[in-house]
Amino acid sequence: MKQIKKENTLTCDWNSYFDLSVPIISLSLILLGSVSCSNNKTENTVATGNEKKVQSALKFTSRKDGKVKFKETGGSTYFTLKFYEDGLKMLDKKENEIARITKKEDKYKIKDANDQVLGYVTGKKTKFKIKDNSQESTLFIFQRQQDGDWKLETEDVGEQLLCKIGKRDYGWKIESGSETELGKVKHENGRISIRGSNGNTLFYTNDSFSGIAVVPFLLQQLNKPQQAALCAALNLGSN
């Protein structure tokens, strides 16, 4: 009789263990699930935050009126873009006209202060061609890639790659065809700064504008009127 009592006691103890352990295991699984969900939520929040940061830096702000004034690091005016419904004017630091860009359909005519035609930019959205004043020769092609990056090519020697313009969380990075860094266009606290290859600020603007439309001013293969015309095309024709 004593032995039977002992066995019953042991059986009761195991039953008590299982009765207690099942809720504990269930609670552990719930806590692990909560931690996992919390981690996933955190990761998703970080990813979303980074994504918003990229979208903010690359946000397109076109201009059809007013001015965008670019300044040197000391605060003096470097040059000014004056916008119109059908184009823009590029003015030097003394407000003298460098170039006048007029849009008609998908063609941007480049004129100097003496009303002489200097060339054209043609195209829209993802591909633009910089042409001479006769429109018979294409000098450069500025084209968007499937991943959102851009490239500058020359057509006279079989579309030779001159520059690559890559999307970054801060704006745009400009590299040569051999991937040597040439400069950056950075968005910081409402300011667009144009940086050289050493990271130093060349000029900047506090005015609202499109970062990609500023990139042409770092493309040394283009002269100033061509830079202004490509800027106008990207401002009005790439949205």
Side-chain angles (χ1 to χ4, degrees):
M1 292 294 294
K2 289 181 181 181
Q3 182 66 28
I4 292 172
K5 183 178 180 180
K6 185 177 182 180
E7 287 177 357
N8 287 340
T9 303
L10 288 172
T11 301
C12 181
D13 289 342
W14 277 108
N15 289 338
S16 299
Y17 173 78
F18 281 116
D19 288 342
L20 290 171
S21 63
V22 169
I24 291 171
I25 293 171
S26 299
L27 180 60
S28 299
L29 290 173
I30 290 169
L31 290 173
L32 285 172
S34 299
V35 170
S36 177
C37 289
S38 177
N39 288 338
N40 287 339
K41 185 177 180 181
T42 303
E43 289 172 2
N44 289 337
T45 302
V46 170
T48 303
N50 289 336
E51 189 174 306
K52 286 182 179 178
K53 185 179 178 182
V54 172
Q55 289 174 350
S56 176
L58 302 178
K59 187 177 179 181
F60 187 88
T61 308
S62 62
R63 296 293 295 261
K64 293 185 179 180
D65 55 29
K67 293 181 179 180
V68 172
K69 191 179 290 288
F70 292 91
K71 298 182 178 183
E72 296 174 314
T73 52
S76 59
T77 299
Y78 185 54
F79 68 91
T80 301
L81 299 176
K82 189 174 183 180
F83 294 88
Y84 302 92
E85 190 73 23
D86 62 346
L88 62 81
K89 285 183 180 180
M90 184 179 185
L91 310 174
D92 67 14
K93 61 180 64 180
K94 295 182 179 180
E95 298 284 316
N96 296 317
E97 186 177 314
I98 298 173
R100 185 186 320 141
I101 316 301
T102 306
K103 179 181 186 289
K104 187 175 181 180
E105 296 180 348
D106 296 328
K107 184 183 294 184
Y108 299 80
K109 183 187 288 186
I110 311 168
K111 288 185 175 183
D112 63 13
N114 297 318
D115 212 36
Q116 296 296 310
V117 177
L118 304 177
Y120 294 85
V121 171
T122 62
K124 62 180 180 179
K125 293 188 180 295
T126 61
K127 188 174 183 179
F128 301 92
K129 293 184 177 183
I130 296 97
K131 297 186 175 184
D132 65 4
N133 57 2
S134 70
Q135 302 186 65
E136 294 178 358
S137 177
T138 297
L139 306 174
F140 304 99
I141 299 172
F142 193 72
Q143 186 171 355
R144 190 167 70 195
Q145 308 302 291
Q146 290 185 346
D147 60 1
D149 291 353
W150 291 77
K151 63 180 180 179
L152 178 71
E153 297 176 318
T154 180
E155 198 174 57
D156 57 359
V157 287
E159 296 189 359
Q160 179 185 0
L161 179 63
L162 299 174
C163 293
K164 299 192 293 184
I165 297 90
K167 291 189 301 182
R168 298 293 186 271
D169 59 354
Y170 54 76
W172 301 93
K173 181 179 181 180
I174 296 88
E175 297 178 319
S176 68
S178 58
E179 299 187 353
T180 299
E181 183 176 335
L182 301 176
K184 295 183 178 75
V185 174
K186 301 191 75 171
H187 296 246
E188 293 178 311
N189 302 320
R191 171 177 290 187
I192 300 176
S193 60
I194 293 79
R195 313 262 180 122
S197 57
N198 58 3
N200 292 338
T201 298
L202 303 175
F203 50 95
Y204 67 90
T205 183
N206 293 322
D207 298 321
S208 178
F209 196 40
S210 161
I212 188 61
V214 177
V215 166
F217 299 109
L218 272 173
L219 303 179
Q220 298 303 312
Q221 293 85 355
L222 310 183
N223 58 38
K224 286 184 178 180
Q226 290 170 336
Q227 290 174 344
L230 184 55
C231 169
L234 290 166
N235 176 55
L236 294 176
S238 65
N239 54 351

